[in-house]
Amino acid sequence: MLELHTPIQYVRGVGPRIAGVLSEKGISTVEDLLYYLPFRYEDRANPKNIAELRAGEMASIIAEVRGSALYRTKKMPIFEMTVAQGRSAVKCIFFNGAYLKDRFKPGQLLALYGKVEEGFGKSPGGRLEMKQPQIEVLGPLPDEAEEASLLEAKLEDSLEMGRIVPIYEGTGKLNSRWFRHTIHRVLSELNPEIPDGIPPAVREHLGLMPRREAFQQAHFPLVGESRADLENSSTPAHRRLIFEELFFLEVGLELKRRNFRRRTGIKFELNDAVRAAIKRFLPFHPTAAQKRVLGEIAADMQAPVPMRRLLQGDVGSGKTIVALEAAVIAIENGYQAALMAPTEILATQHYLSARKLLEDHGYRVLLLTGSLEEDRKREARRHIAQGNAQLVIGTHALIEEKVEFAKLGLIVVDEQHRFGVMQRWRLMRKPSDELAEPDVLVMTATPIPRTLALTLYGDLDVSILDELPPGRTPIITRMISDERATEVWEFVRKQAAAGHQTYIVYPVIEGSADEPHEFTPDSAKIKGSGLKAATEMYEELRNKVLPGVRVGLLHGRLNSDEKDLVMRRFQRGEIDVLVATTVIEVGVDVPNATVMVIEHAERFGLSQMHQLRGRIGRGAAKSYCVLMTGSKISPEGQRRLDAMTRTQDGFAIAELDLELRGPGEFFGTKQSGAPAFRVANLIRDRKLLELARIEAQRIVSTEDKQISHAERTTVMSHLKTHWQRRYGLVEVG
Ligand code: ADP
Ligand code: MG
C-alpha cells in the first residue's frame, strides 16, 4: 500500500530512471505526484459531434482516422489528416508535420482537442479544419500493444473515454497519458487513511471535502462536474487543495507574526522638541495624506515593538519627505537612520536633497554606494561605526559592504518592490545588537493588494499616500508609431526652446541590455535585436536631429562620477534633453522636465512605464508622455500601452500589471521571496487566501474555544512535517 511519503520510484511502473525524470519536475514522493494536477480537462463523456462543430470554438472530439498525407510546400512540410465520425469529417493540419507521417493508421480512434477553423477551398469531408490539434490515440498503440494488453486493458475504457479526462503537461517521454495512468494507479493503491492536516472543525465550518477525495476528484472529476469550475480550478476538490496550501502558509505566517510581536524594538520619543525639529526643516506644508502617514509611522516608532511598515504612494506623492521626517525622529532620539535606494542615481539624489534640507540644521548626512573608491568607503564605514554619520544614504552597498552601525534605529528602503533584499536587513545590525531591533519602513510606488502584502511580508502594516502635492497638472499621454519620430523630435525641440526639459528613454545601451536590476521581462529578451540603443541615438540626436539643443547621456555603465555630473547638469537645466536607459526609472526628481519620450514602449513593463512617466508632471507646466512604438506589438504589449493612455492611477496600473504578468514576474521572479505554490495562485485565489487567513488566526489564537488543544497540536505538527519548507521561503527580517 502506498503512503503519501512513499518515494516515487517505488510506485509500480516508475523505477529509478523515470524517478530521475520526475525529480526534475519537483516530484519525488507520492504526495508530490498527487499535487501534479491536470492543467486542462477534456469532456469525453459528451464529446462533440463533428456535424455540430462551429468555426471559432475550442472543441474536443472523438473520431476515427480516415487517411493522411504529407505535403511538401516550399516553406515547410505539412501533414494533413482527415478524421471522421460516420459521414462527417474534419481535416487536421500540422505544419512541419513530417514527424507524424507514419504515426496514424486508418481506423484508429483518436481524441482531438483544438480550435475549429473555417478551411480554405474544398476539403474532402467538409469545410472545417483544426490546426495543430492535440491528439491522443485511444486504444493501444501498435508497439505498445503487448504491454498495454497486460497492464491497462481494463483501464483503457474508463480512463480515456466516456468521462471527463485529465490532461497533464508531459515531460520528456512521459506524456499526459502516462501521468493519467500512473496517477490513477497511485490513487487506487493509496492508503485510504491518509493524514489530513486541516482540523475537522475548520473542514466542517467551510464545507471542505476530505483530502483523499479531493485528490481523487481533482484528477478524475465526477461525471457532470462543471466545466467552468474545472477550468478555473474552483471545483470543490480544487478549492479544498488550494485552501489547504494557503491555510498552512497562513498558519506559518500567523505564528511568525506572533513571535514578531514579542520582539523588542526601540521606543522612540516624540516630544515637543522632536516636533519642533521636524517643523524646522520641512520645506513646505505637508499634504493631509503625508500628515496622516507620518502619524502612523510615528506611532509605530513610539511603540516597543519593531516597526515593519510598507508605505505605498503613487509616483510623486511625496514619500521622500515622509522618510526624512521619520529619520529626524530617530536622529533626535540619538539613533542613526539608513536610507536605501535601488540605484546609485537615486541614492545620490536623495543624498543631495537630504543634505540641502538637513545639514543647515546640524544633521550629518553621508553617502555610501558600491562605486565609491575603496578608501572613501573605508572612511564612510568608520564614520558609520563611530556614530558620526546620523543619516546614511546608499544603495545595496549598505548591506553588502559589511557596514556596522554604532546605533541604528531606523531603516528606510525606498522604491522596493523587489523583495529579495528584505531578508537581509538583519545583516545591517551589529552582531551585538541583541536587544532592540531597528524600525523598518519600506516605500514603494508599485502598490500591491493588501492580502498579498500581508502574505508576502508576513508582518507588514500598510500606509497609503493617496494624495498628490498641490499644483500638479495631469500628464497628456499619447502613443505614436516610431515612423513619425520626426514629429516627436520637432516637438522636443520646441519644448527645449521654451525652456522645458525632456527625457528620452531606450530599453538598451548599445544593442545589449543595461545593468541587471533594470531588466524587465521584455528588455531582457531583446539583446542584439537591432533596437535603437541609447548611445547611438544620443549621437544621432545630438549631431543630426537636434542641433543647437543640449543633449546629455545617462546609463548604468557610466561610472558614478559621470552619472553624477550628468544628473546635476540636468537638474541645473544645463542639459535640455537627457537620453537615458531605465536608470532614471525610479525616483529621479527634476520638476522642470515636462516631456518623457519612451522608445520601443511596447517592450516595457507597465509599472516601469508608469514609473518613467512619474518623472514628469512634477511642476506647474503641462507635461507630455510620448510612447513611441515599433511595428511589432504583442497583444499584451498593446494592453499595457492602452492602460497607460487610459489611466494615470498607479494603483489601477499595478493591479493590471500584476494580472498581466502573474505574481512570479511581478515580484521579480525567483529571488523575490514570494512563496512557490503547488496548486494555489495568489491572484486567482485571493478570496480563499482571505478565508485561509481568518481560519489560521482562529487556530493559532488560543482564545478560540471551538478549537480543541488536540486539534491545534495536530495542525502544528502537520505544519512542521509537511509545510515548513514552503512557508520558510517567506522569511522576513
Ligand atoms: P515620490 O513619492 O515619488 O518619492 P517625491 O518624494 O520625490 O515623490 O516627491 C515628489 C515632488 O513633490 C518632490 O519635488 C517634492 O519636493 C515635492 N513635494 C513633496 N511633498 C510636497 C508637499 N507637501 N508640497 C509641495 N511639494 C511637495
Ligand atoms: Mg521617491
Side-chain angles (χ1 to χ4, degrees), residues 316 318-320 346 349-350 414-415 443 586-588 615 618:
K319 295 185 288 293
T320 317
L346 187 51
Q349 180 186 285
H350 279 326
D414 190 21
E415 300 297 358
M443 309 198 293
V586 289
V588 172
R615 300 308 109 221
R618 298 185 156 229

Side-chain angles (χ1 to χ4, degrees), residues 111-148:
L112 302 105
Y113 176 80
K115 188 164 182 188
V116 181
E117 292 176 61
E118 201 81 53
F120 292 106
K122 279 216 172 83
S123 311
R127 48 180 185 82
L128 293 180
E129 59 186 39
M130 288 170 113
K131 288 205 186 79
Q132 322 271 76
Q134 293 183 31
I135 293 193
E136 220 176 83
V137 178
L138 304 174
L141 298 170
D143 55 343
E144 283 178 2
E146 203 179 344
E147 187 198 359

Side-chain angles (χ1 to χ4, degrees), residues 45-327:
N46 309 291
K48 287 251 168 182
N49 285 325
I50 290 178
E52 302 165 352
L53 292 181
R54 269 172 298 126
E57 71 179 343
M58 297 297 291
S60 169
I61 57 174
I62 291 177
E64 192 187 300
V65 177
R66 279 290 152 81
S68 62
L70 188 67
Y71 296 98
R72 305 222 170 247
T73 66
K74 261 193 220 122
K75 279 196 192 136
M76 64 177 97
I78 293 178
F79 181 74
E80 275 191 18
M81 171 163 67
T82 305
V83 299
Q85 296 163 341
R87 302 180 49 170
S88 3
V90 68
K91 192 159 70 173
C92 304
I93 296 177
F94 297 86
F95 304 111
N96 282 319
Y99 69 101
L100 291 168
K101 191 164 158 270
D102 299 315
R103 283 274 178 93
F104 305 101
K105 297 214 161 50
Q108 237 173 2
L109 203 55
L110 305 181
L112 302 105
Y113 176 80
K115 188 164 182 188
V116 181
E117 292 176 61
E118 201 81 53
F120 292 106
K122 279 216 172 83
S123 311
R127 48 180 185 82
L128 293 180
E129 59 186 39
M130 288 170 113
K131 288 205 186 79
Q132 322 271 76
Q134 293 183 31
I135 293 193
E136 220 176 83
V137 178
L138 304 174
L141 298 170
D143 55 343
E144 283 178 2
E146 203 179 344
E147 187 198 359
S149 65
L150 286 173
L151 256 174
E152 295 169 359
K154 285 206 301 283
L155 295 178
E156 212 49 80
D157 286 339
S158 57
L159 285 194
E160 318 289 348
M161 275 157 64
R163 60 153 70 229
I164 298 174
V165 176
I167 310 292
Y168 300 87
E169 195 182 298
T171 176
K173 286 216 164 124
L174 308 178
N175 56 17
S176 174
R177 192 169 167 215
W178 184 89
F179 278 102
R180 188 180 309 137
H181 285 268
T182 310
I183 290 171
H184 190 268
R185 188 178 306 141
V186 161
L187 280 168
S188 66
E189 292 173 11
L190 183 66
N191 184 347
E193 304 289 325
I194 59 170
D196 190 336
I198 302 185
V202 174
R203 234 186 300 148
E204 271 158 38
H205 184 208
L206 298 177
L208 298 174
M209 66 170 66
R211 194 169 184 214
R212 199 179 190 298
E213 216 172 306
F215 280 132
Q216 181 72 40
Q217 292 186 22
H219 288 284
F220 299 98
L222 302 178
V223 182
E225 184 56 271
S226 146
R227 301 278 309 146
D229 285 354
L230 282 169
E231 245 141 62
N232 304 323
S233 300
S234 59
T235 66
H238 283 96
R239 285 171 54 86
R240 144 81 214 208
L241 296 175
I242 292 166
F243 176 84
E244 177 175 335
E245 189 161 48
L246 297 174
F247 174 72
F248 283 102
L249 172 80
E250 290 293 348
V251 170
L253 288 172
E254 188 58 29
L255 286 173
K256 260 189 186 174
R257 274 173 211 130
R258 268 159 212 263
N259 280 338
F260 184 78
R261 272 175 228 137
R262 281 200 283 273
R263 280 156 54 178
T264 325
I266 304 159
K267 272 181 82 164
F268 292 100
E269 253 193 73
L270 185 56
N271 52 28
D272 288 344
V274 180
R275 281 180 220 282
I278 293 176
K279 267 228 175 84
R280 222 178 297 138
F281 89 88
L282 274 187
F284 31 59
H285 288 293
T287 62
Q290 283 170 324
K291 277 189 197 148
R292 190 192 67 237
V293 166
L294 182 69
E296 290 163 3
I297 293 169
D300 284 1
M301 292 182 74
Q302 289 168 278
V305 178
M307 166 167 79
R308 292 291 180 270
R309 187 167 281 277
L310 173 67
L311 170 53
Q312 306 196 331
D314 207 347
V315 196
S317 58
K319 295 185 288 293
T320 317
I321 205 76
V322 175
L324 294 182
E325 287 174 310

Side-chain angles (χ1 to χ4, degrees), residues 370-624:
S371 65
L372 285 186
E373 277 154 29
E374 207 39 57
D375 48 344
R376 274 169 73 192
K377 266 191 216 163
R378 208 172 308 126
E379 196 186 319
R381 275 200 299 263
R382 191 166 51 79
H383 283 305
I384 297 171
Q386 292 175 346
N388 299 335
Q390 295 173 302
L391 173 58
V392 181
I393 296 175
T395 52
H396 280 204
L398 281 182
I399 298 178
E400 281 145 16
E401 306 273 341
K402 299 203 186 66
V403 179
E404 279 186 6
F405 284 78
K407 206 178 172 194
L408 184 59
L410 172 74
I411 302 170
V412 182
V413 187
D414 190 21
E415 300 297 358
Q416 185 61 53
H417 57 279
R418 299 173 176 100
F419 294 73
V421 69
M422 315 227 5
Q423 287 92 327
R424 296 184 284 163
W425 286 331
R426 52 173 56 138
L427 294 181
M428 294 175 73
R429 295 160 54 204
K430 271 210 306 213
S432 60
D433 277 355
E434 295 278 289
L435 283 174
E437 281 187 49
D439 284 349
V440 177
L441 176 67
V442 179
M443 309 198 293
T444 177
T446 312
I448 47 178
R450 192 185 158 73
T451 344
L452 272 186
L454 289 168
T455 299
L456 289 165
Y457 288 109
D459 192 56
L460 224 66
D461 299 300
V462 181
S463 286
I464 295 179
L465 265 186
D466 49 6
E467 180 187 353
L468 294 181
R472 299 285 165 83
T473 40
I475 297 166
I476 296 168
T477 303
R478 291 267 184 283
M479 226 177 90
I480 285 188
S481 151
D482 58 12
E483 285 160 14
R484 292 171 59 192
T486 1
E487 294 166 50
V488 177
W489 306 143
E490 181 53 24
F491 178 70
V492 169
R493 206 186 51 74
K494 279 195 186 135
Q495 286 279 314
H500 297 305
Q501 291 165 285
T502 296
Y503 299 96
I504 304 177
V505 178
Y506 293 89
V508 287
I509 305 178
E510 294 170 282
S512 70
D514 208 345
E515 43 193 46
H517 66 264
E518 292 147 12
F519 276 9
T520 61
D522 283 346
S523 71
K525 284 184 213 136
I526 54 180
K527 272 198 172 175
S529 58
L531 294 179
K532 295 180 215 167
T535 316
E536 291 144 34
M537 281 309 289
Y538 163 70
E539 295 298 339
E540 167 133 359
L541 288 167
R542 191 167 66 127
N543 297 326
K544 298 193 195 132
V545 184
L546 298 170
V549 174
R550 295 164 302 173
V551 184
L553 174 65
L554 186 68
H555 58 66
R557 286 209 215 123
L558 299 178
N559 70 35
S560 63
D561 287 344
E562 290 168 328
K563 276 188 221 163
D564 241 44
L565 185 69
V566 175
M567 219 37 237
R568 267 185 237 219
R569 291 184 56 210
F570 190 63
Q571 236 143 11
R572 287 200 295 256
E574 293 164 18
I575 290 175
D576 303 307
V577 172
L578 185 61
V579 176
T581 58
T582 51
V583 287
I584 57 146
E585 176 188 340
V586 289
V588 172
D589 183 32
V590 180
N592 189 50
T594 56
V595 184
M596 168 64 64
V597 179
I598 305 177
E599 284 227 55
H600 291 292
E602 75 278 6
R603 303 282 178 160
F604 286 82
L606 194 45
S607 296
Q608 196 176 26
M609 277 193 277
H610 182 65
Q611 280 285 342
L612 287 169
R613 179 166 61 182
R615 300 308 109 221
I616 57 171
R618 298 185 156 229
K622 203 167 208 167
S623 286
Y624 305 86

